[in-house]
Amino acid sequence: MSQARPFTVITGASRGIGAEYARALAAQGYDLLLVARDHTRLDMLREELQHGHQGEIWTESLDLSQPQAASTLYEMAHSHREEVSLLINNAGFGMYGDFADMPLANIQSMLQLHMNTIVESTRLFLPAMLARQHGAIITVASVAGFFSIPYMTEYAATKAFLIAFSKGLAREIQNQCVTIQVCCPGFTDTDFHQTAGHKPKHVLFAQSSQKVVQTSLRALQSKRTLVTIGWQGRLATWTSKMVPQTILMALAGKFVKPPSSIPKHQPSH
Ligand SMILES: NC(=O)c1ccc[n+]([C@@H]2O[C@H](COP(=O)([O-])OP(=O)(O)OC[C@H]3O[C@@H](n4cnc5c(N)ncnc54)[C@H](OP(=O)(O)O)[C@@H]3O)[C@@H](O)[C@H]2O)c1
């Protein structure tokens, strides 16, 4: 019986958008492997989801910014179930501030988590899906990947990479019954901004993680590759195409710039 249920692996499932994917997919009867570093939160979520859920829910603590993380994730998934129907590459974090002052270790963690681990995980999980002609991979990027954003420079660049990667891969495997989706939320009401140490100056029209997940899972049925959320997503898409990049960067930089960010290396008078 258990083997008949679809199985999904969700990274960054301890809170925010990842936890919401877990809630939605548990309600749809999926077996779940929930992965993040905070085991206590994962176990609390499993307890919450187990009420009324017939399927299996496993939790694993893993730091996905470590070099071998994708292989470990793949082995963990296969220690529970042979077939993975859906992989959700969601784990991520933000950093705000002057690039020149960012701790190098934090930048390395972000590049590893947002790019290497996701590309490697996709490479590991995809072939079996293609062989079965069934499955899907959702990667959570961001509208921040639509253009360069000063003071979130490396974050926006990694998300732009994920969008380009997912679109190219989707095209490569079109007609092969496996869906590649890159989900691009706008400002979403989660712990993300607090964890990144950012106090946004103006937050208008924040989206809920429920709305992000509903839109993403609905779009999976229509096999759409690039998914944005609601009218905010449509506005971001339109703006990124119609407004010159210099203007966009100036506006985004003003919005994101931390108060402590003062010009450095100024010539002395
Ligand atoms: N919130 C927004 O406004 C927004 C907008 C666009 C895109 N996004 C993207 O949405 C995704 C989810 O973010 P969120 O808003 O849900 O933020 P969140 O509430 O801070 O959740 C982030 C999740 O990622 C996990 N994570 C972070 N670093 C990890 C690591 N090294 N190893 C394993 N797991 C790690 C965290 O778990 P642990 O701390 O337990 O490891 C947590 O479960 C991210 O990729 C983010 O870039 C967010």
Side-chain angles (χ1 to χ4, degrees):
M1 175 65 189
S2 168
Q3 285 298 317
R5 271 192 297 265
F7 176 45
T8 186
V9 176
I10 308 173
T11 73
S14 59
R15 54 210 155 93
I17 295 170
E20 214 47 56
Y21 272 115
R23 290 188 183 96
L25 291 165
Q28 290 183 22
Y30 274 74
D31 285 345
L32 303 171
L33 171 59
L34 310 178
V35 182
R37 290 165 303 179
D38 187 338
H39 214 289
T40 309
R41 290 189 80 122
L42 287 173
D43 285 344
M44 280 164 53
L45 179 62
R46 179 174 54 187
E47 280 208 6
E48 174 198 323
L49 298 181
Q50 266 169 345
H51 292 292
H53 178 58
Q54 302 301 312
E56 303 267 11
I57 302 172
W58 297 282
T59 57
E60 298 276 8
S61 176
L62 178 63
D63 183 348
L64 290 154
S65 69
Q66 294 301 307
Q68 294 304 317
S71 303
T72 309
L73 180 71
Y74 183 73
E75 283 159 22
M76 280 173 171
H78 284 88
S79 72
H80 296 297
R81 288 282 302 275
E82 209 172 298
E83 287 185 8
V84 176
S85 317
L86 174 59
L87 167 67
I88 304 183
N89 294 311
N90 164 74
F93 68 99
M95 287 193 292
Y96 296 86
D98 294 291
F99 177 76
D101 292 339
M102 298 263 175
L104 185 56
N106 294 5
I107 295 171
Q108 288 165 331
S109 287
M110 179 174 279
L111 298 181
Q112 189 71 37
L113 178 65
H114 289 188
M115 302 200 300
N116 294 34
T117 298
I118 290 179
V119 171
E120 291 167 22
S121 299
T122 302
R123 172 62 185 83
L124 289 167
F125 284 92
L126 181 63
M129 292 181 184
L130 291 174
R132 289 197 311 275
Q133 292 283 287
H134 177 72
I137 298 177
I138 298 174
T139 294
V140 180
S142 170
V143 294
F146 289 1
F147 48 88
S148 299
I149 304 184
Y151 310 105
M152 284 178 74
T153 301
E154 60 297 314
Y155 177 80
T158 61
K159 296 299 185 177
F161 170 87
L162 289 176
I163 294 168
F165 170 70
S166 301
K167 283 165 75 175
L169 181 59
R171 183 78 191 183
E172 262 185 52
I173 64 162
Q174 67 179 341
N175 309 323
Q176 293 200 59
C177 304
V178 175
T179 304
I180 301 294
Q181 179 189 116
V182 58
C183 175
C184 298
F187 195 104
T188 308
D189 190 13
T190 66
D191 294 345
F192 174 90
H193 308 277
Q194 203 185 349
T195 308
H198 182 233
K199 286 202 180 82
K201 291 173 208 153
H202 326 278
V203 182
L204 292 173
F205 314 118
Q207 299 165 332
S208 69
S209 43
Q210 288 92 331
K211 173 95 190 268
V212 172
V213 167
Q214 276 168 16
T215 308
S216 164
L217 294 179
R218 213 177 307 125
L220 211 49
Q221 284 155 24
S222 58
K223 303 188 183 303
R224 221 164 354 120
T225 301
L226 182 72
V227 173
T228 57
I229 317 301
W231 66 264
Q232 296 98 322
R234 285 193 292 282
L235 182 65
T237 308
W238 182 87
T239 310
S240 67
K241 287 181 182 150
M242 304 308 287
V243 179
Q245 293 278 314
T246 44
I247 296 176
L248 281 179
M249 281 199 285
L251 291 173
K254 230 171 156 35
F255 178 77
V256 171
K257 189 175 185 174
S260 59
S261 176
I262 51 167
K264 294 190 180 62
H265 316 301
Q266 286 175 315
S268 52
H269 297 288

